[in-house]
Amino acid sequence: MSAELPEIPEFSPRQNAVLEQALKLLVEGGEKALTTSGLARAANCSKESLYKWFGDRDGLLAAMIAFQAAKVRTFERGAARLTVDLLRENLETFGRDLLEVLSGDVSLALNRLAIGQASREGSKLGRLLIEHGRRQIDRRAIGLMEAGRRAGLLRFTDADSAYHTLYGLVVSDLHVRMLLGEPGLKDNARQAARAVDAFLQLYGVAPDTEHA
Amino acid sequence: MSAELPEIPEFSPRQNAVLEQALKLLVEGGEKALTTSGLARAANCSKESLYKWFGDRDGLLAAMIAFQAAKVRTFERGAARLTVDLLRENLETFGRDLLEVLSGDVSLALNRLAIGQASREGSKLGRLLIEHGRRQIDRRAIGLMEAGRRAGLLRFTDADSAYHTLYGLVVSDLHVRMLLGEPGLKDNARQAARAVDAFLQLYGVAPDTEHA
DNA sequence: CCAGAACCGTACCGTACGGTACTTGTTGGA
DNA sequence: TCCAACAAGTACCGTACGGTACGGTTCTGG
């Protein structure tokens, strides 16, 4: 009853264009700006087609999430023979990418949408968002964790726990603040670097020789 | 044009009862369940009174946030002569309280409300929520940080940065996950303890003598 | 050349909400 | 005792949305 990987629906090019327009409307004006009539007008299609393709409004929202997730495919870094510097660089790149994704317009809009919908209907969209949007980035991070351990550079018992520590150090309460409307950081790289410093202090196996 | 501390409006008992009922409706059914007609019916008052008291629907939502924030007044712990064990205990208590607050029904409902509203209208509710809801808990934590430093138990240059590190270690992505509809942790205390362990490893001045 | 499907544009329907107006008590002070 | 203020309850209005139906047009395959 879990992870049956239900074959990404694969929409037609026309439907992709409509979904793109839907995301644009959502980003510009929030959920209340995404009406079926408005989308039909903006995308030059008929409401009848919308309902034929996506069933109802909730189906449209779910399709938007699946569509966006399919676009933001993360790329696994080739884990060629990790050194401590290479590990640090990979971790910092991950942190920067994470902050970049979380502060993106579309990501924020979709998260706001799913959160606003989460009260009713068993948070169907929320689960969808976590499944589709998070799984890939989680796997990339955990891959990094375990590569670091295999290379003798990290020490931990639970990779998932270590990853969540890294996540917390990188993101802190920034995601929620941005969801609430606050601006993001000026320098994601700096934040990522500081987070990785702390992370390596906690989980790195080679103690820092310099401790000013 | 910032932080003018606009005297908490202080509602009448009758209005407090109405706001209480409004929060109840919001928690039970989300934003779409909180209609002016529904609230009037549930609270045995007239819509006309609602509009006289709160102006319009947005005013009602703002009043709900102010009302809830006024209820959840945090209590400053008396910082009597900190020892390392006392500091750890205070930090863990803070972490538990933080998780407790963030996972509360009303908190989640209000955050969902403000986030869902954040796209349009300059995120007025979001700012209100951060102002009213966060300031107190932030001050409590920063007070703890600086007490720890004064007692020679913590070392950091920026208390705010240290606090955000602690926040990230305690909360990680849990808040967003709960906002999306996932259940909370089974054991907040365990999570707080682990977070404080890591935090002290990063900022504690006395190195742990035991490192099993 | 034609039939059928797909689709656009528009008009339409039912409903539900935010907000206003009005009537009917109820209270409290002069 | 009367009156002014307040509030409950209800009825009402305009609007806007989700969803459906229909006529006209383009595309496709035989």
Side-chain angles (χ1 to χ4, degrees):
Chain A
M1 61 183 64
S2 69
E4 57 230 26
L5 228 350
E7 92 290 337
I8 302 127
E10 285 291 332
F11 304 110
S12 78
R14 179 78 180 106
Q15 291 167 6
N16 283 348
V18 171
L19 291 173
E20 194 75 53
Q21 186 65 43
L23 286 176
K24 191 173 172 186
L25 287 179
L26 182 69
V27 167
E28 285 171 357
E31 173 169 10
K32 67 154 277 180
L34 183 65
T35 68
T36 54
S37 307
L39 176 57
R41 204 178 318 120
N44 291 322
C45 74
S46 71
K47 286 173 68 174
E48 198 165 10
S49 298
L50 292 181
Y51 283 95
K52 169 173 290 192
W53 293 335
F54 307 112
D56 59 1
R57 190 171 184 273
D58 286 345
L60 171 68
L61 302 181
M64 289 168 64
I65 290 180
F67 172 67
Q68 173 66 10
K71 279 204 315 184
V72 188
R73 187 155 300 279
T74 176
F75 43 102
E76 297 274 342
R77 185 75 91 246
R81 207 64 206 109
L82 276 183
T83 66
V84 62
D85 288 332
L86 210 49
L87 174 63
R88 176 185 292 267
E89 185 191 315
N90 279 346
L91 288 172
E92 287 193 13
T93 300
F94 169 79
R96 282 196 307 272
D97 288 357
L98 178 59
L99 289 173
E100 194 77 30
V101 167
L102 293 186
S103 59
D105 280 345
V106 181
S107 165
L108 286 177
L110 284 178
N111 273 278
R112 289 198 184 107
L113 175 67
I115 287 174
Q117 201 100 343
S119 328
R120 66 183 210 107
E121 202 198 343
S123 53
K124 188 167 152 296
L125 285 186
R127 254 178 291 131
L128 237 168
L129 198 63
I130 291 179
E131 284 297 309
H132 282 70
R134 213 60 160 275
R135 208 170 27 194
Q136 298 165 358
I137 210 162
D138 284 3
R139 292 213 319 212
R140 172 179 166 193
I142 290 191
L144 248 178
M145 299 285 124
E146 292 186 337
R149 181 170 60 176
R150 276 197 305 272
L153 300 170
L154 295 177
R155 174 179 41 204
F156 53 79
T157 57
D158 181 8
D160 205 67
S161 169
Y163 162 51
H164 276 89
T165 299
L166 176 62
Y167 189 103
L169 288 170
V170 170
V171 178
S172 188
D173 64 344
L174 186 62
H175 198 191
V176 173
R177 294 185 100 100
M178 290 190 300
L179 287 171
L180 283 168
E182 285 206 351
L185 261 48
K186 286 178 302 186
D187 191 350
N188 285 342
R190 179 176 169 77
Q191 171 79 358
R194 296 201 319 170
V196 170
D197 276 348
F199 178 77
L200 289 179
Q201 218 172 315
L202 290 171
Y203 290 96
V205 67
D208 285 349
T209 49
E210 79 280 346
H211 56 91
Chain B
M1 63 184 65
S2 69
E4 57 229 26
L5 228 350
E7 91 291 337
I8 303 129
E10 285 292 333
F11 304 109
S12 77
R14 178 79 179 106
Q15 291 167 7
N16 283 349
V18 171
L19 290 173
E20 193 74 54
Q21 186 65 43
L23 286 176
K24 190 173 171 186
L25 287 179
L26 181 69
V27 167
E28 285 172 356
E31 173 169 11
K32 69 153 277 181
L34 184 63
T35 68
T36 54
S37 306
L39 176 57
R41 203 178 318 120
N44 291 323
C45 73
S46 70
K47 286 172 68 173
E48 197 166 11
S49 299
L50 292 181
Y51 283 94
K52 169 172 291 192
W53 294 334
F54 307 113
D56 58 2
R57 190 170 185 272
D58 286 346
L60 172 67
L61 302 182
M64 289 167 64
I65 290 179
F67 171 67
Q68 174 66 12
K71 279 202 317 183
V72 188
R73 189 156 300 280
T74 175
F75 42 102
E76 298 275 341
R77 184 75 89 248
R81 206 63 205 109
L82 276 183
T83 66
V84 60
D85 288 332
L86 210 49
L87 173 63
R88 177 186 293 267
E89 185 190 316
N90 279 347
L91 288 172
E92 287 193 13
T93 300
F94 169 79
R96 283 197 307 271
D97 288 358
L98 178 59
L99 289 173
E100 194 77 29
V101 168
L102 293 185
S103 61
D105 280 345
V106 181
S107 165
L108 286 177
L110 284 178
N111 274 278
R112 290 196 183 108
L113 175 66
I115 286 175
Q117 200 100 341
S119 329
R120 70 185 207 105
E121 202 197 346
S123 51
K124 186 167 156 296
L125 286 186
R127 253 178 292 131
L128 236 168
L129 198 63
I130 292 179
E131 285 296 310
H132 281 69
R134 213 59 159 277
R135 210 169 26 193
Q136 297 165 359
I137 210 164
D138 285 3
R139 291 212 321 210
R140 172 178 167 193
I142 291 191
L144 248 178
M145 298 285 124
E146 292 185 336
R149 181 169 60 176
R150 277 197 305 273
L153 299 171
L154 295 178
R155 173 179 42 201
F156 53 79
T157 58
D158 181 8
D160 205 66
S161 168
Y163 163 49
H164 276 90
T165 299
L166 175 62
Y167 189 103
L169 288 170
V170 170
V171 178
S172 188
D173 64 344
L174 185 63
H175 197 192
V176 173
R177 293 186 101 100
M178 290 191 299
L179 287 171
L180 283 167
E182 285 205 352
L185 262 48
K186 284 179 302 186
D187 192 349
N188 284 343
R190 179 178 169 77
Q191 170 81 355
R194 298 200 319 169
V196 171
D197 275 348
F199 178 78
L200 289 178
Q201 215 172 317
L202 289 172
Y203 291 95
V205 68
D208 285 348
T209 50
E210 79 279 348
H211 56 90

